[in-house]
């Protein structure tokens, strides 16, 4: 649906005001364009009755907790940064199945919010759920971390009601709303990043050490591809290993896949045809800057048959 952003914002603000009344609200803000836009929209409607919550689950990209915290506070939004790294890593212990990991993340995510909602005495939480999230979860393509009611889980079981002001929009519509709200380009044009974050990009068990590898590889991929104008650019750490040579010695080391895709709305995507020199530089940097990595691959698959993320 193409939206008239001005009308959308006007209607959304009055609907939010009506639903929320004088209650206090918390917003689950991961820093992506969807949750930032949803948060800012609700802030416009309820002002200081909103607290944005950024949970540091230990799965974010380099510098992300600081970036999100500073951006929200600079927008004049009350913000709370919650350090839950230990608890999140705890739930991933021994889990290797993609859906099991997604469900564990979702459960921890909502429990953490439920706790904050209780402490802050709020009734509503805001989420940046968009239409593609709902469609893909309902179709059973994946358990999107932020879709509950649509698949029959009552958010009240976690202790609150959910506000999803963007649920009828696709990504391009969200960006239009973000621009109309006056959010900076850094936010409105931000590359999408999934709620369960790097946990989807560490195949197999999610440990702090393995997340650190994919975080650094992601930073390298993002740096080297930032001018391509692509939809999503990232790195994935494989669960299996491969033979390689480091410092003249045979080693059995990690494998990283580089993924760069072009897409409008994430419902379909194309693997980007990239200049070989760029790919070569990324592979060199990753294997040099990450001692445990011996092999870099480039993913040539479109969506479908692949998905954008590996899990
Ligand atoms: P897939 O991998 O299904 O992803 O092609 C489509 C788009 O959605 C993002 N994604 C998620 N975003 N929570 C999110 O907030 C999730 O659980 C989730 N899973 C995938 C993915 O990065 C891509 O942009």
């Amino acid at each position: 649906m193409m939206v008239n952003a001005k009308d959308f914002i006007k209607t959304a603000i009055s609907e939010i005001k009506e639903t929320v009344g004088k209650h206090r609200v918390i917003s689950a803000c991961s820093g992506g364009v969807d949750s930032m836009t949803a948060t800012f929209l609700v802030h416009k409607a309820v002002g200081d009755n909103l607290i944005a919550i950024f949970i540091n689950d230990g799965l974010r990209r380099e510098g992300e907790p600081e970036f999100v915290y500073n951006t929200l506070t600079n927008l004049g939004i009350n913000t709370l940064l919650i350090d839950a790294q230990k608890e999140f890593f705890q739930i991933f212990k021994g889990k290797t199945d993609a859906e099991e990991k997604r469900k564990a993340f979702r459960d921890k995510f909502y429990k953490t919010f439920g706790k904050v909602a209780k402490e802050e005495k709020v009734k509503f939480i805001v989420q940046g759920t968009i239409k593609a999230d709902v469609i893909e979860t309902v179709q059973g393509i994946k358990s999107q971390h932020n879709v509950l009611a649509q698949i029959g889980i009552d958010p009240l079981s976690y202790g609150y009601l959910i506000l999803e002001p963007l649920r009828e929009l696709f990504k391009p519509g969200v960006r239009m709303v973000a621009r109309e709200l006056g959010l900076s380009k850094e936010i409105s044009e931000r590359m999408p990043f999934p709620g369960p974050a790097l946990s989807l990009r560490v195949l197999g068990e999610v440990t702090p050490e393995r997340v650190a590898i994919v975080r650094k590889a992601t930073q390298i991929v993002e740096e080297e591809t930032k001018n391509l104008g692509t939809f999503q650019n990232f790195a994935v750490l494989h669960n299996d290993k491969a033979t390689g040579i480091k410092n003249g010695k045979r080693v059995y080391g990690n494998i990283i896949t580089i993924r760069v895709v072009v897409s409008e709305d994430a419902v379909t995507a194309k693997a980007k045809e990239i200049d070989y020199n760029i790919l070569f530089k990324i592979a060199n940097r990753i294997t040099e800057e990450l001692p445990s990595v011996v092999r870099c691959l480039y993913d040539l698959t479109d969506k479908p048959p692949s998905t954008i993320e590996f899990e």
Side-chain angles (χ1 to χ4, degrees), residues 176-244:
M176 281 167 63
V177 170
R179 286 178 210 125
E180 185 62 36
L181 284 169
L183 289 169
S184 70
K185 263 196 164 165
E186 225 179 347
I187 306 290
S188 68
E189 313 312 311
R190 224 167 181 220
M191 186 164 63
F193 188 67
L198 300 176
S199 75
L200 303 181
R201 299 172 181 176
V202 168
L203 310 188
E205 192 175 355
V206 178
T207 63
E209 297 73 28
R210 303 191 73 222
V211 170
I213 294 170
V214 93
R215 178 179 290 125
K216 179 69 194 167
T218 299
Q219 190 185 10
I220 295 170
V221 173
E222 285 185 9
E223 279 171 17
E224 300 300 335
T225 57
K226 64 175 184 289
N227 296 326
L228 295 180
T230 36
F231 186 76
Q232 259 173 305
N233 318 340
F234 57 90
V236 176
L237 174 66
H238 287 246
N239 198 17
D240 48 1
K241 300 225 167 159
T243 302

Side-chain angles (χ1 to χ4, degrees), residues 11 55 96 201 285 294:
T11 314
I55 297 184
T96 52
R201 299 172 181 176
R285 279 195 61 190
V294 293

Side-chain angles (χ1 to χ4, degrees), residues 102 136 142 144-145 192 194-196 200 232 266 303 307-309:
R102 276 182 170 278
E136 297 207 331
K142 62 171 178 246
Q144 181 81 14
H145 82 284
L200 303 181
Q232 259 173 305
K303 173 184 181 178
T307 51
I308 295 177
E309 304 292 343

Side-chain angles (χ1 to χ4, degrees), residues 15-311:
E15 278 176 11
I16 296 163
K17 276 187 173 156
E18 196 172 312
T19 312
V20 172
K22 293 263 174 277
H23 289 285
R24 297 176 75 223
V25 185
I26 53 174
S27 169
C29 204
S30 68
V33 59
D34 305 339
S35 65
M36 290 293 240
T37 306
T39 300
F40 198 52
L41 196 58
V42 174
H43 184 251
K44 281 221 169 281
V46 307
D48 281 347
N49 274 343
L50 170 78
I51 309 171
I53 311 287
F54 177 84
I55 297 184
N56 186 2
D57 48 22
L59 305 167
R60 304 289 125 186
R61 283 177 297 184
E62 191 62 43
E64 195 69 3
E66 299 77 10
F67 171 79
V68 180
Y69 185 82
N70 292 338
T71 308
L72 287 165
T73 12
N74 288 340
L75 286 167
I77 300 173
N78 293 325
T79 307
L80 210 60
L81 200 150
I82 293 174
D83 187 352
Q85 301 183 64
K86 269 205 193 109
E87 293 131 70
F88 272 84
F89 282 118
Q90 191 66 31
I91 56 144
F92 285 121
K93 269 203 179 134
K95 291 198 177 59
T96 52
D97 176 76
E99 273 297 284
E100 237 183 76
K101 283 161 64 182
R102 276 182 170 278
K103 285 180 180 151
F105 177 88
R106 183 172 68 191
D107 192 50
K108 187 78 211 162
F109 177 83
Y110 283 105
K111 281 192 176 136
T112 309
F113 267 95
K115 213 171 131 218
V116 181
K118 236 190 210 149
E119 283 164 10
E120 298 291 333
K121 297 188 177 51
V122 301
K123 189 166 168 197
F124 293 95
I125 76 158
V126 183
Q127 294 204 138
T129 315
I130 65 170
K131 194 134 190 164
D133 302 341
V134 178
I135 291 173
E136 297 207 331
T137 299
V138 174
Q139 285 174 350
I141 293 171
K142 62 171 178 246
S143 302
Q144 181 81 14
H145 82 284
N146 54 358
V147 176
L148 290 177
Q150 293 88 341
I151 52 167
I153 301 176
D154 182 0
L156 267 179
S157 65
Y158 288 98
Y160 40 71
L161 298 168
I162 289 187
L163 279 182
E164 293 173 325
L166 309 178
R167 69 188 172 280
E168 295 301 327
L169 302 181
F170 283 101
K171 193 70 85 186
V174 177
R175 294 200 197 282
M176 281 167 63
V177 170
R179 286 178 210 125
E180 185 62 36
L181 284 169
L183 289 169
S184 70
K185 263 196 164 165
E186 225 179 347
I187 306 290
S188 68
E189 313 312 311
R190 224 167 181 220
M191 186 164 63
F193 188 67
L198 300 176
S199 75
L200 303 181
R201 299 172 181 176
V202 168
L203 310 188
E205 192 175 355
V206 178
T207 63
E209 297 73 28
R210 303 191 73 222
V211 170
I213 294 170
V214 93
R215 178 179 290 125
K216 179 69 194 167
T218 299
Q219 190 185 10
I220 295 170
V221 173
E222 285 185 9
E223 279 171 17
E224 300 300 335
T225 57
K226 64 175 184 289
N227 296 326
L228 295 180
T230 36
F231 186 76
Q232 259 173 305
N233 318 340
F234 57 90
V236 176
L237 174 66
H238 287 246
N239 198 17
D240 48 1
K241 300 225 167 159
T243 302
I245 306 162
K246 284 270 165 124
N247 302 321
K249 282 205 182 88
R250 179 194 160 97
V251 286
Y252 202 46
N254 282 314
I255 309 168
I256 290 276
T257 284
I258 302 157
R259 180 115 171 106
V260 180
V261 297
V262 180
S263 175
E264 270 297 313
D265 52 16
V267 177
T268 60
K270 285 214 157 297
K272 171 81 175 167
E273 194 179 326
I274 297 188
D275 182 340
Y276 192 76
N277 290 313
I278 299 178
L279 284 176
F280 201 61
K281 184 161 180 214
I282 296 173
N284 271 335
R285 279 195 61 190
I286 289 179
T287 49
E288 273 167 22
E289 293 174 38
L290 285 159
S292 74
V293 179
V294 293
R295 208 167 284 257
C296 273
L297 316 174
Y298 187 63
D299 186 349
L300 297 171
T301 345
D302 294 342
K303 173 184 181 178
S306 282
T307 51
I308 295 177
E309 304 292 343
F310 271 45
E311 293 203 332

